[in-house]
Amino acid sequence: MLPSVVGALLSVAVLAYVLSKAATTRHKRSIIGARALRRAVVAVYSVLLVLNLWCAVAATHAMVSDAIAVTTLLATGAFGLVVAERRIPATMVVQRRKVLAVGAHPDDLELACGGTLAKLVDAGHEVRGLVMSAGEAGGDQGVRPAAARHGAAFLGLSGLRVHDFPDTRLETVSDGMVRAIEAAVNEFGPDVIFTHSAHDQDQDHYAVHRATLRAARAHHSILCFESPSVTRDFDPSVFVDIDGYVDVKVEAVLSHRDPAGRPYMTPGRVRGMAAFRGAQAKNVNAEAFEPVRLLGSAIGDL
């Protein structure tokens, strides 16, 4: 009976870990295919838990209970080996940079540059986010900011501020946004600023682009990311290799359940865009940026 009890407790411990919120933090998201792996672990350990409990309660033959307990131990060892083998490699940089990403709505940063932000965090850079509206016109104002904070925590951002400027009418509060972005730039002192492109047909995205350029008019390095609403004039010349981080980006986007169902929020669309930009960069997967201006020494090996 004792081996079955141990096997059941081990199964409960693994399931509790995998299903907890801790399993979706940046320390657990650095596994290639983490979402699929979690599903497999939940399925296997649910079966093992039932079998171990059955052996403990039904007082089955010792050989059967021992075999199931040993299988549980072997599965745990195999799970550990798979996690170690599938961990995304990250090389720590010599010089740590500060990166500020400015978006209009709660899901913009994950959609546009989630892979890049996660990769920068893993390399040792400090990344913060700034979102100008709560996205009330595109979903539940009470839900979307929390989803943005969850996505930011998943990517590993050291901080995220969500402002409450009016969604779909950001051009009417341009001066207020400029002051908010200026305050963030002065407080944080970023080496690089990411924001929306001028070639974006979403009026809020364009308003944030203009406000960022005004607020960072004396800054030397500004990169414009690609939103789903960019026009055909979006012409990137800076690409970041996000191979290994596409699954991370997909899961960060899926944090935003409220506006889910929009075509550009689907895993297929996110993966397709990463592959498309990767092909342009002569790589597997990439995210694309238009430089407003870019000082080489400011970005280092970003």
Side-chain angles (χ1 to χ4, degrees), residues 19 48 57 66 150 185 207 240-241 268 280 285:
L19 294 173
L48 289 173
V57 173
D66 288 349
H150 175 82
V185 170
V240 175
D241 176 8
Q280 282 191 319
N285 292 292

Side-chain angles (χ1 to χ4, degrees), residues 245-270:
Y245 283 88
V246 179
D247 287 336
V248 174
K249 180 172 183 174
V250 166
E251 190 151 347
V253 170
L254 290 176
S255 298
H256 298 271
R257 302 291 185 182
D258 194 47
R262 299 177 184 177
Y264 56 81
M265 301 287 288
T266 62
R269 183 68 65 86
V270 173

Side-chain angles (χ1 to χ4, degrees), residues 59-127:
T60 56
H61 194 281
M63 184 176 296
V64 175
S65 62
D66 288 349
I68 294 174
V70 168
T71 300
T72 305
L73 289 172
L74 291 175
T76 305
F79 170 51
L81 289 174
V82 170
V83 168
E85 190 273 333
R86 296 179 68 84
R87 186 166 292 278
I88 300 171
T91 303
M92 298 299 289
V93 296
V94 175
Q95 185 173 355
R96 195 166 183 248
R97 312 286 183 177
K98 293 181 178 180
V99 178
L100 177 65
V102 184
H105 309 110
D107 53 12
D108 285 335
L109 300 183
E110 291 89 335
L111 275 166
C113 55
T116 297
L117 299 183
K119 185 174 183 179
L120 291 173
V121 169
D122 285 353
H125 303 292
E126 183 179 2
V127 182

